[in-house]
Amino acid sequence: MNNVKIKRYKSPLLWLAFCIAPLGLISIFILNLPVSLLARFSLSARKLSGRITVMGVKWLKFFQPWWVGEFKITLPKEIAQYETGALFVANHRSHLDVFLLLELIPGVRVLTKNLIFWIPGLGQAAWLLRMVYIKRGRSESYWKAMEDIRKGLEMKDRILVFPEMTRSAFGETKLSRFTLGPFQKAIQTRSPVIPVVIWGSDYLWPKEELAIAKKAPLIIESLPAVDSAQFSSAEKLSQSVSDQIQKRILQLSQSHSYESF
């Protein structure tokens, strides 16, 4: 992929940061503040908080002309109606992935590095939206986060994890090994697992870049739900989900090649 020449610009990234401040203030700290606090105790409040967050991200998306693509997340009926919790498992290509999925999966809680909680504004928003934090390299933090995921699934939450635990290098088509903890908790709680495939967000804003391309072959889609109860171990469940995501990534790398875009 090193031979792919892409024009990226700092101005869209600066504009994104500029838009996040006022829109986040309105949607998270004004409209969502009382609801998100109640969401810790009330399923109805969780649903409303999720809808407000989706609205806020839609506003943000409206002001980003480069933020276009093919988005298709399908929630099974029992998940859409909050009859059960669900573990969403996605490959990770860019910082943009979280913003995109906050709109596509209403009310989702994301397993994220604790560093975000130290960023003014974003840290407070992450706390209000009940994100699950983890400290890199700390085993006790990892298992505490896994326990938070278990409790969330039992409370019928939608939990999103990037089990590679880091972003892929630009253009990478091979998945890294998945961490097993979230799959173990899905089996324990008999929660469905929804594989999510992301392609192209690294074309827009890759790892270690401080500039954004103005367009990309951006695709986010969910695959059929996986019944965790059919698996005897986290290893087998993880491998099944990884294989499905990997297969779709390879297909997209052929049909939406970065070189030809």
Side-chain angles (χ1 to χ4, degrees), residues 29-97:
F29 294 102
I30 296 178
L31 298 179
N32 211 351
L33 177 58
V35 181
S36 61
L37 293 175
L38 289 174
R40 285 162 166 73
F41 314 100
S42 166
L43 178 58
S44 297
R46 268 183 273 161
K47 293 178 182 179
L48 179 57
S49 176
R51 289 196 291 270
I52 294 172
T53 302
V54 167
M55 178 185 66
V57 180
K58 282 183 181 293
W59 289 347
L60 179 64
K61 180 180 174 183
F62 176 79
F63 290 104
Q64 315 305 315
W66 44 269
W67 198 334
V68 293
E70 302 172 30
F71 308 130
K72 187 178 181 181
I73 298 292
T74 302
L75 301 183
K77 180 180 178 182
E78 64 273 17
I79 298 174
Q81 297 182 354
Y82 286 87
E83 295 173 2
T84 182
L87 180 70
F88 290 81
V89 174
N91 63 304
H92 198 7
R93 308 193 71 87
S94 170
H95 282 309
L96 293 172
D97 298 342

Side-chain angles (χ1 to χ4, degrees), residues 226-238:
V226 177
D227 183 359
S228 64
Q230 300 300 313
F231 293 83
S232 59
S233 69
E235 290 87 351
K236 292 179 180 179
L237 176 58
S238 168

Side-chain angles (χ1 to χ4, degrees), residues 107-202:
V108 71
R109 299 174 63 191
V110 184
L111 177 65
T112 184
K113 296 172 187 174
N114 73 308
L115 292 177
I116 195 173
F117 288 84
W118 293 96
I119 301 175
L122 284 179
Q124 289 77 11
W127 183 83
L128 287 172
L129 297 177
R130 302 184 304 130
M131 302 305 178
V132 180
Y133 77 87
I134 183 171
K135 294 180 180 179
R136 174 177 283 181
R138 301 284 187 88
S139 60
E140 67 277 13
S141 175
Y142 177 85
W143 290 112
K144 180 183 182 301
M146 295 306 106
E147 183 63 12
D148 289 341
I149 288 175
R150 182 191 65 79
K151 292 177 181 178
L153 292 172
E154 288 181 342
M155 292 173 60
K156 303 178 181 180
D157 279 336
R158 299 156 180 185
I159 307 288
L160 168 67
V161 299
F162 299 107
E164 295 172 282
M165 303 299 282
T166 188
R167 287 164 291 155
S168 300
F170 170 69
E172 180 61 66
T173 58
K174 184 178 180 180
L175 293 176
S176 300
R177 184 178 180 274
F178 281 9
T179 187
L180 299 180
F183 298 94
Q184 181 186 66
K185 301 309 174 185
I187 291 174
Q188 288 179 0
T189 57
R190 303 179 71 84
S191 301
V193 178
I194 312 294
V196 176
V197 179
I198 301 172
W199 180 254
S201 60
D202 57 321

